[in-house]
Amino acid sequence: MSTVAELPAGAGPAPAEQLAARWEEPRTVRAWFTTVDHKRIGRRYLVTASVFFGLAGVSAILLRTQLAGPEAGLLSPQEYNQLFSMHGTAMIFLFATPMLFGFGNFLVPLMIGARDMAFPRLNAFGYWVFLFAGVFMWASLPAGAAPNGGWFAYVPLTDEVNSPGLHLDVYTLGLLFLGISTTAGAINFIVTALKLRAPGMSLNRVPIFVWAIVATSFMVLFALPALNLDNGLLFLDRRFGTHFFDPEAGGNVLLWQHLFWIFGHPDVYIIVMPALGIVSAVLPAFCRRGLVAYPLVVLGVVSISIISFGVWAHHMFATGLPQLSLSFFSAASSIITIPSGLQLFAWLTTMLLGRLVMRAPLLFVIGFIVTFVIGGFTGAMFALTAFDQQVTDSYFVVAHFHYVLFGGAVFPILAAVYFWLPKITGRMFSERLARWAFWLIFIGMNVTFFPMHLSGLFGMPRRVYTYPEGLGWDPWNLLATLGSYILAVGLLLVVVGVVHALRRGKPAADDPWGGDTLEWATTSPPAPYNFPVLPEVHSLHPVWDPRTAESVAAGAPEARTLAEGRQTIRTSELDARYEQPIEMPESSLRPLVAATGLLVVFGGLLFDWYWVAAGGGLLLALTMVGWLWPPAEPT
């Protein structure tokens, strides 16, 4: 490990006061709605996504209770269909990606030594759209109109004939609405990482977490249009009688599956990739050494983001596609395990060569590795066409899916919660509560999902609201239900631990773990301007590097203090050479008003109130005109 260096305070009190005057937002109700601070927006993403996660968790508990024994009557078939559809949709679209984007919002500017995201107002707009889209979808549940066709909504089960009512209109419009937020966030991450890195942070010095967020953002930009097109076509079929998915009128039901999985399989990696970046960020602090094979890990991240677009049809092995095409997709599904394995071996070698400090974040990383390997192993089994066809639409798929996504995303997310909680809140958490939470979650997760492999192999199909006794499924379902209760208690302990830290936690040091990336070089929590002096980076581990520490010492040049304005530094894309300071926008109400306009548009479309939708579109258009209108020249 490199020598750990204490970063000096910076440019002295006078510039810090000037910076605070430029960047600090007043503590008023108006400021709450107009903020463009990436840290406040990041925290809001984390809290909002956690609330949606809680709702999805309550849905899951109800589902598991219904399936605890045969012929249970807790839920009707209609209620069960809506709950499992909202559970899956919320976990995929309203929790996993927004939660990870929340960490990205808070951390990416700090990790690259910038003062904010490249487009702060677009960032705020993305959050409001995410919030409104989530409320739009969840509000349909108490009204009995929630999506009821599963999270991938296969046609013809979801066309107007087989699924009348607003259920699938909520699904299609809700995801189209949400997609605007995700796309805006992805563009913002890419531009931020390419243009706002601190001087000297060339591409070979970029933290793995930032690489993962950028790769994820590119995947979003290429994958999401397919899902948007799919939802747009289904909405047209249902509402206006087009026939894109109607075979009798020349349409094709497989078109839905192709378009959905062109998005859907990359989306697995869109969810998992930032989580892998979290693991690579946590390990150096608790192994007391840098990550082994950094270039290979970056190569793995980039390779996964490309190969993931070539495996979508392995979700369709049972649909009757030509055998030759199945061979190509089977091969691609096997090949993608290689870059994933590269990262796994890099983490294990880092742990083997380091000096482990067994704290809660590292426990969750180890839990992730165990569950992700099991999920990856069963994933490789799905690459075999014959096996895939045998277990398609069985509970074996549900088990694999949850090992990959719960194990591969939730464990790293919890590691991130404990790792960065001191930085985000300025408070330390209770290690004892965190350890209890880990063991309950780890045991609960495995007791819940591992038996599903067996019930699936014994023939239990997914998405059945009940089952007769005597089929050999009873003990495995009861075990899974008991596991879900243990898991729920563990997750509640996480919430208790966070609240306890906020109310009674000890003040956190700036770098309580001995981390190596730039977010640990500033205060906990960070000042509104992030850094009093923007650093000049000299290595992959800037906080462990004395030369980077010297670059922020008192007397730093005005070019990196930028105390005279609300500014950050623009640098070149590859080697991060200094170009010029750029002015950052002030807080504004326009992002909220624009998102409100979109909410009116989608609400009007949902209820056939097209004149209302037109009014929302007009509000959006007028707001965008004001937003983009060139500012007046200073006199």
Side-chain angles (χ1 to χ4, degrees), residues 507-551:
D510 292 347
D511 189 4
W513 311 123
D516 63 332
T517 42
L518 281 175
E519 77 274 22
W520 302 110
T522 188
T523 55
S524 299
Y529 44 85
N530 289 353
F531 303 92
V533 178
L534 296 177
E536 187 172 305
V537 175
H538 293 272
S539 81
L540 179 60
H541 311 289
V543 178
W544 294 348
D545 175 30
R547 293 170 297 174
T548 305
E550 290 170 10
S551 76

Side-chain angles (χ1 to χ4, degrees), residues 248-570:
E248 293 184 0
N252 191 329
V253 291
L254 282 187
L255 174 63
W256 170 271
Q257 292 197 37
H258 278 296
L259 288 172
F260 187 89
W261 289 116
I262 286 173
F263 156 80
H265 200 85
D267 189 53
V268 173
Y269 296 97
I270 286 170
I271 292 169
V272 170
M273 191 83 79
L276 306 186
I278 288 171
V279 174
S280 297
V282 171
L283 276 178
F286 296 99
C287 294
R288 296 293 187 254
R289 61 155 296 125
L291 186 70
V292 170
Y294 168 88
L296 287 179
V297 174
V298 173
L299 181 64
V301 168
V302 176
S303 301
I304 289 173
S305 65
I306 296 170
I307 299 172
S308 66
F309 282 89
V311 298
W312 83 85
H314 88 211
H315 295 270
M316 302 168 61
F317 281 170
T319 59
L321 293 178
Q323 287 295 321
L324 182 61
S325 69
L326 300 189
S327 305
F328 286 109
F329 286 106
S330 178
S333 301
S334 301
I335 288 171
I336 203 167
T337 60
I338 296 174
S340 304
L342 272 177
Q343 295 187 69
L344 180 66
F345 282 110
W347 299 326
L348 293 177
T349 309
T350 303
M351 294 170 70
L352 187 66
L353 298 179
R355 290 182 292 111
L356 297 186
V357 179
M358 202 57 72
R359 300 294 298 270
L362 184 59
L363 282 176
F364 278 100
V365 165
I366 294 171
F368 151 77
I369 290 174
V370 173
T371 52
F372 192 63
V373 166
I374 296 174
F377 180 74
T378 53
M381 294 164 70
F382 280 111
L384 305 174
T385 309
F387 179 82
D388 182 284
Q389 290 175 337
Q390 288 297 312
V391 296
T392 288
D393 282 339
S394 75
Y395 254 83
F396 192 93
V397 180
V398 181
H400 159 72
F401 190 68
H402 281 87
Y403 264 89
V404 171
L405 289 184
F406 195 98
V410 176
F411 272 92
I413 284 172
L414 294 174
V417 167
Y418 286 113
F419 186 54
W420 283 300
L421 190 68
K423 178 58 61 180
I424 294 171
T425 66
R427 296 286 170 177
M428 296 300 293
F429 57 84
S430 163
E431 181 71 18
R432 179 183 295 183
L433 272 177
R435 285 172 183 261
W436 270 103
F438 167 75
W439 284 112
L440 286 170
I441 292 169
F442 184 75
I443 294 169
M445 184 266 172
N446 283 286
V447 175
T448 302
F449 299 119
F450 195 83
M452 293 181 187
H453 290 107
L454 301 173
S455 53
L457 290 175
F458 294 150
M460 182 172 176
R462 64 196 302 190
R463 300 177 179 177
V464 288
Y465 93 102
T466 189
Y467 52 91
E469 62 180 337
L471 296 176
W473 305 340
D474 307 14
W476 309 116
N477 276 297
L478 179 61
L479 195 58
T481 301
L482 294 175
S484 69
Y485 296 158
I486 298 172
L487 179 57
V489 173
L491 291 168
L492 278 176
L493 268 189
V494 175
V495 177
V496 170
V498 171
V499 173
H500 181 269
L502 288 171
R503 297 177 67 88
R504 299 187 177 180
K506 296 176 181 175
D510 292 347
D511 189 4
W513 311 123
D516 63 332
T517 42
L518 281 175
E519 77 274 22
W520 302 110
T522 188
T523 55
S524 299
Y529 44 85
N530 289 353
F531 303 92
V533 178
L534 296 177
E536 187 172 305
V537 175
H538 293 272
S539 81
L540 179 60
H541 311 289
V543 178
W544 294 348
D545 175 30
R547 293 170 297 174
T548 305
E550 290 170 10
S551 76
V552 296
E558 165 60 20
R560 285 190 290 108
T561 306
L562 301 175
E564 299 298 324
R566 189 182 169 92
Q567 297 175 325
T568 193
I569 294 176
R570 192 179 80 186

Side-chain angles (χ1 to χ4, degrees), residues 2-66:
S2 308
T3 304
V4 178
E6 187 74 24
L7 285 180
E17 288 173 6
Q18 288 176 278
L19 286 166
R22 295 283 184 182
W23 288 87
E24 207 162 280
E25 295 172 341
R27 293 183 177 276
T28 62
V29 174
R30 178 182 170 81
W32 197 90
F33 288 106
T34 60
T35 184
V36 294
D37 183 337
H38 73 97
K39 298 178 290 298
R40 297 181 74 179
I41 294 169
R43 286 195 295 266
R44 289 178 188 182
Y45 265 107
L46 297 179
V47 172
T48 308
S50 298
V51 171
F52 292 150
F53 177 64
L55 294 173
V58 171
S59 305
I61 290 293
L62 291 172
L63 298 172
R64 282 310 324 165
T65 304
Q66 166 70 17

